[in-house]
Amino acid sequence: MYLPLANIRLIAIVSWLSIAEAIPLNVNDEASIKQAASTIAYGLMSYYTGNQSSSPVAEGTFPAPYYWWEAGAIWGAMIDYWHYSNDSTYNDVVTQALLSQISPTEDFMPPAEAGQEGNDDQFFWAAAAMTAAERNFTTPSTPTSRWLQLATSVFNDQAQRWNTATCGGGLKWQIYPSNTGYDYKNTAANGGFFHLAARLFRYTHNATYLAWATTSWDWMTDIGLIDPTSYTVYDGTQDAQNCTQVNEAIFSYTHGMLLAGCASLSNATAGSALWTSRAAGLLAASARFFAPFPNASLVMYEPACEPQGVCDADQLSFKALLARWLAAAAQLVPDLTGAVAVLLERSAAAAAKACTGGARGETCGQKWYVGGFDGSVGVGQQLSALEVVQGLLVGRRSPPDVAAGVNVSVVAASSTVAVPTATVAPKPGVGGGGALGTAGRGGPGGWGVGLGVLGAVVLG
C-alpha cells in the first residue's frame, strides 16, 4: 500500500504546522502574559490601515470583510490591552479611531454606516466608550466625562427605540426600517442594551439604569431568549410573528454579554443573590463553548460553526467577546473567579500554541483545540487570542472605575462555583439549534445556523 504524493505533502504540511514554535506563554507569569499579549496585539493592529492617508478604508474601521461593529469591539479590546499591560503604544490610534466614528450627533450613528448599522453594532462602540470611562482612558481632548456621555447618548437612543408595538417590548435588531432584519428582535441588540444599562448603573448608581436593565432582562426571559432554568441564550425572534417562535441558534458572545451585565449588577448591589445567581447560571450554560475533547479539555471554541470550518468573519470573533466578558465577570463576582481562571488559563495556553502562522511565525489561528496552527487567519482569530491571553491579567489590575461619590466593593465569595463542563462531546454539525436566523448583515446578531442541539450542561 502506498500514499499518493498529495497525501504525503499534506502530512508534511500538518507536521510542520504542529512543530512550529508557538508564542511563549506561562499563564502564571505576568511578564510572560504581557509579552504574549504584546505580540498578538501587534499582529491585530497590523490589519488596521484606517489611519494611513493612502488607505481607502475610513478612519476607525477595518477593510472588508470586517464590518463596522467589529472595529468598535477591537477598540474596546485595545483599551483593555493598555489597562492590563501598561503599554500605551496604541493609545493615540485608539482615541482617534473612536472619535472618528462618534458622528455629528455624538452617539455613534455615522451616516456612512446607515445601511448596515443595527442596535447591536451601535452597542459595541458604546461599550468601547464605556470601557474608556471605566478605565480612565483620558487625553486632553477626551476626559472621562466625554466617554461617559457617548455611552449615555447611545443608551438614551436605544431606550427611545424600545418597541412595544409587538412582543410586549424589546429592541429591533436593525435601527432603520430599510435594513434587512428590521423585523427581528434579537439577543445581540437587547442583551447589549441590558449590558450597557448594567454598567451605567454600576458607574453612576442612577436607578433609571437598573430599572431598564431589569426590564430588558425580564423581557428576554418572558419571550424565551433566555431560558430561566438552564440559562441557555438563544439568538432571536421575529416580531412579525409577535415573537411566538424563537430562533434557537446559540452563540458564545451573547452568553458572555449577559454574564458580564449580571456581574456588573451583582457588584453594584453588594453581591445580591439575584444577580449573582444569574451570573453563575450563565457561566454554567457557557460550558458548551469549551471543547471536552480528550486532548483539549476546557478549551474555548464556537460550536455553531468552528468544528465544521464554516464560521464567517463575524463569528470568528465571538470567542474574543466571551473571553473578555468572562474575565470582567470574574473580577466583579468572586464566586466565579476560580472557575473562570481555569477556563481562561486552559484556553490561553491553547491559543498561544495556535499562534505560529505568518512571516513572523506569530499569527494566530482559529481552532485552539487542535494543538497548533490550523492555517485560518484574520482579525477575528487575532482578536480572540488577544482577549483570552490578556484576560489572564484581570486579577492583577484594578477593577473598572465608578463615578465620584459612588461606592462599590467586591463582596467576598459566598460559595465557589465549580468549573462548568459539558456532559457530551461536540460532534460535527452540533452547537446551534433551531431554525435558520435572519439573512443579511448589520451586526453579529441574527446569524442562526440551525446546526443541532448540544447536550445538557452541568456544574462539576
Side-chain angles (χ1 to χ4, degrees), residues 39-133:
T39 300
I40 298 169
Y42 177 86
L44 174 61
M45 291 301 291
S46 70
Y47 286 95
Y48 181 58
T49 62
N51 60 340
Q52 299 175 13
S53 59
S54 61
S55 175
V57 178
E59 186 172 12
T61 69
F62 283 73
Y66 307 111
Y67 286 93
W68 183 73
W69 78 267
E70 192 165 356
I74 290 168
W75 304 132
M78 295 306 297
I79 294 170
D80 276 343
Y81 170 75
W82 160 74
H83 177 72
Y84 291 142
S85 69
N86 297 317
D87 178 3
S88 60
T89 299
Y90 308 105
N91 285 12
D92 288 344
V93 174
V94 173
T95 299
Q96 290 307 311
L98 285 169
L99 295 179
S100 72
Q101 296 295 313
I102 60 175
S103 74
T105 49
E106 297 228 342
D107 57 356
F108 297 110
M109 292 281 289
E113 302 300 332
Q116 64 165 306
E117 184 173 359
N119 282 301
D120 51 350
D121 304 283
Q122 189 188 27
F123 156 75
F124 279 101
W125 287 84
M130 191 71 219
T131 298

Side-chain angles (χ1 to χ4, degrees), residues 13-59:
I13 291 171
V14 172
S15 298
W16 178 84
L17 290 175
S18 65
I19 63 174
E21 184 179 356
I23 291 178
L25 176 64
N26 179 343
V27 299
N28 297 307
D29 181 74
E30 180 172 339
S32 176
I33 297 167
K34 288 169 68 174
Q35 182 56 51
S38 173
T39 300
I40 298 169
Y42 177 86
L44 174 61
M45 291 301 291
S46 70
Y47 286 95
Y48 181 58
T49 62
N51 60 340
Q52 299 175 13
S53 59
S54 61
S55 175
V57 178
E59 186 172 12

Side-chain angles (χ1 to χ4, degrees), residues 163 172-184 239:
N163 181 275
K172 290 175 175 284
W173 173 23
Q174 293 298 308
I175 296 171
Y176 301 101
S178 59
N179 287 355
T180 301
Y182 183 72
D183 292 328
Y184 197 60
D239 69 352

Side-chain angles (χ1 to χ4, degrees), residues 217-234:
W217 175 276
D218 290 346
W219 181 84
M220 286 184 284
T221 303
D222 292 344
I223 290 298
L225 298 183
I226 304 171
D227 186 311
T229 302
S230 69
Y231 289 93
T232 302
V233 179
Y234 301 110

Side-chain angles (χ1 to χ4, degrees), residues 123-150:
F123 156 75
F124 279 101
W125 287 84
M130 191 71 219
T131 298
E134 292 167 336
R135 301 302 192 200
N136 197 25
F137 183 74
T138 59
T139 69
S141 64
T142 51
T144 298
S145 59
R146 189 174 190 198
W147 295 125
L148 180 64
Q149 184 56 53
L150 287 166

